[in-house]
Amino acid sequence: MKVPLLDLKAQYQAIKDELRPVIDAVLESQVFIMGPKVAELEKAVAEYSGAAFAVGVSSGTDALLVSLMALDVKAGDEVVTTPFTFFSTAGAISRLGARPVFVDIDPVTFNLDPGRLERALTPRTKAVIPVHLFGQCVDMDAVLEITRRRGVPVIEDAAQSIGAEYKGRRAGSIGELGIFSFFPSKNLGGFGDGGMVVTNDKALFEKVKMLRVHGSAVKYHHRFVGGNFRLDALQAAVLLVKLGHLDDWSSGRQANAADYGRKLASSGLVARGLVVPPAAVYESGGDRHHHIYNQYTLRVKDRDKLQAFLKERGIGTEVYYPVPLHLQECFAELGCREGDFPVSEEASRAVLSLPIYPELTADQKDFVVNSIAAFYK
Ligand SMILES: *Cc1c(COP(=O)(O)O)cnc(C)c1O
């Protein structure tokens, strides 16, 4: 039996007949840049995420970049974020000449620890980027209590968390700006790169829209230096079809997570120290939240050996992320050292993400759990 980390072919086969006509329609229209499909997707994603406005852009990375540009982040500024995330969260900050300032994570959620946030803010702080990692929201009330008091805007990096909920509010719509990625491996993935910026702030919306097309609202008249951050019509057409399935797919991931949780507990692995993610609907501080499991990430002992053992058995897993960002070569000039963010460093040694895609079968899940049990025996 083979269990890949992700099987996009299974998803494609299931919706192929729906996709072909909308792709053909774009080809017949020969409208490839922006156009009605992009506008339709923006409206649909704004509605889905509970935000007032949305701007389709070329990738999640560009969504971060253009959001920071909309907040006038530039050389000499500081932007606070987590070191335990995909590279582009901090990369986007650095590309504008600003300095990423890291705050260590909560050991349970892997998300930025709001209890450590205030100490990281300085008069140079231009923004805070909490990342809703793996499909689980950051404690946004705790973040916003600090940032609003200090007058610092928040960009939610919801690249992995479209549809995740924090106290009934959807990821991306809670801070001043939110970003999504449509990279193929995300819960809502296109046939290539794509992303979205969402906001409830009309002025930021207008500015992001301008920055997306070289800083112009009127062709050849440039108010800002923006870029080409546009979303393709073809991607929008594909994503509109897929958005209609997103809740089903997220439910499938949640059902798989529940299965894994049960099986891992009854195998005795949890009692022996393996740590599983929270339930799909979990409580914290008396409030309810929804995890959408872009990744199902365990904390395990002997991680590298377990990963090699599973690979040998045909089970795909991945380490998100093996090197925290403060220890990346390209950020050496920040002067961070090993030991500066110990919770992130420990997480980078212990995490392992299992296959969680909605089309997984019961046999595949059994095989994964039995294989993990076999390794520790
Ligand atoms: C995927 C991802 C991004 C970047 O999105 P792309 O569309 O790949 O550019 C940013 N942040 C996080 C947390 C991500 O997982």
Side-chain angles (χ1 to χ4, degrees):
M1 182 181 299
K2 281 255 185 289
V3 192
L5 181 66
L6 178 64
D7 183 3
L8 287 172
K9 285 182 185 161
Q11 185 194 77
Y12 176 60
Q13 288 309 323
I15 59 170
K16 197 173 176 174
D17 293 344
E18 259 181 285
L19 284 166
R20 285 312 180 91
V22 303
I23 291 170
D24 278 343
V26 174
L27 298 187
E28 291 300 324
S29 79
Q30 291 290 297
V31 174
F32 297 118
I33 304 297
M34 312 277 278
K37 280 290 167 192
V38 171
E40 203 183 320
L41 180 71
E42 289 170 342
K43 191 164 173 285
V45 170
E47 213 157 276
Y48 185 84
S49 59
F53 309 105
V55 184
V57 295
S58 30
S59 69
T61 301
D62 286 343
L64 284 164
L65 190 64
V66 83
S67 296
L68 290 164
M69 289 167 80
L71 296 173
D72 281 325
V73 171
K74 53 188 182 311
D77 293 338
E78 294 176 358
V79 177
V80 175
T81 192
T82 160
F84 195 65
T85 174
F86 178 61
F87 173 74
S88 75
T89 314
I93 299 165
S94 219
R95 281 170 64 190
L96 293 171
R99 182 186 180 88
V101 173
F102 297 115
V103 167
D104 212 350
I105 57 170
D106 177 294
V108 176
T109 63
F110 303 116
N111 284 329
L112 183 147
D113 179 354
R116 303 170 194 262
L117 175 58
E118 189 144 24
R119 268 170 279 164
L121 302 181
T122 77
R124 289 180 299 279
T125 309
K126 271 299 202 52
V128 174
I129 310 182
V131 179
H132 305 305
L133 203 67
F134 303 146
Q136 178 177 16
C137 287
V138 176
D139 184 354
M140 287 303 291
D141 278 353
V143 168
L144 292 174
E145 190 279 313
I146 297 162
T147 57
R148 299 241 155 112
R149 184 157 45 73
R150 301 282 295 254
V152 179
V154 167
I155 303 168
E156 297 174 67
D157 183 339
Q160 303 181 4
S161 293
I162 189 165
E165 286 182 15
Y166 174 82
K167 299 189 185 178
R169 300 179 68 184
R170 288 212 160 153
S173 68
I174 307 167
E176 277 65 30
L177 292 146
I179 74 97
F180 300 120
S181 163
F182 305 131
F183 186 79
S185 69
K186 304 293 161 84
N187 282 27
L188 179 61
F191 287 176
D193 282 307
M196 187 85 64
V197 178
V198 292
T199 182
N200 293 308
D201 183 316
K202 183 102 190 292
L204 285 174
F205 164 64
E206 300 290 354
K207 191 164 179 192
V208 169
K209 245 188 343 180
M210 271 190 255
L211 289 166
R212 169 176 66 178
V213 281
H214 305 291
S216 72
V218 180
K219 224 176 184 181
Y220 309 126
H221 295 260
H222 302 273
R223 184 144 157 231
F224 309 106
V225 178
N228 173 359
F229 299 126
R230 292 179 298 245
L231 181 65
D232 291 338
L234 271 170
Q235 295 304 338
V238 167
L239 289 163
L240 267 166
V241 168
K242 288 197 171 197
L243 183 59
H245 296 275
L246 181 57
D247 283 341
D248 281 347
W249 292 334
S250 293
S251 301
R253 288 169 181 271
Q254 290 171 337
N256 288 339
D259 274 354
Y260 272 142
R262 261 192 307 274
K263 290 179 207 288
L264 288 165
S266 67
S267 68
L269 287 162
V270 173
R272 275 183 282 139
L274 180 140
V275 182
V276 299
V281 180
Y282 61 99
E283 293 210 3
S284 112
D287 296 301
R288 306 184 91 198
H289 314 286
H290 289 241
H291 199 315
I292 51 101
Y293 304 103
N294 178 244
Q295 300 299 338
Y296 185 86
T297 304
L298 304 174
R299 191 187 287 271
V300 299
K301 295 198 184 90
D302 294 324
R303 192 266 317 278
D304 293 344
K305 283 185 191 143
L306 171 63
Q307 184 178 34
F309 180 86
L310 295 176
K311 186 176 177 201
E312 192 100 323
R313 291 189 157 209
I315 297 169
T317 61
E318 188 57 270
V319 174
Y320 303 109
Y321 296 90
V323 182
L325 299 187
H326 66 288
L327 300 178
Q328 294 289 344
E329 192 181 340
C330 66
F331 291 138
E333 65 184 34
L334 296 177
C336 297
R337 262 176 295 181
E338 194 144 1
D340 283 356
F341 302 101
V343 187
S344 298
E345 291 165 22
E346 199 278 322
S348 71
R349 288 188 288 266
V351 289
L352 190 67
S353 297
L354 301 183
I356 190 70
Y357 59 89
E359 296 83 2
L360 273 183
T361 65
D363 285 349
Q364 285 176 310
K365 284 176 276 188
D366 282 335
F367 184 56
V368 171
V369 173
N370 294 340
S371 299
I372 297 172
F375 172 77
Y376 287 110
K377 199 170 268 172

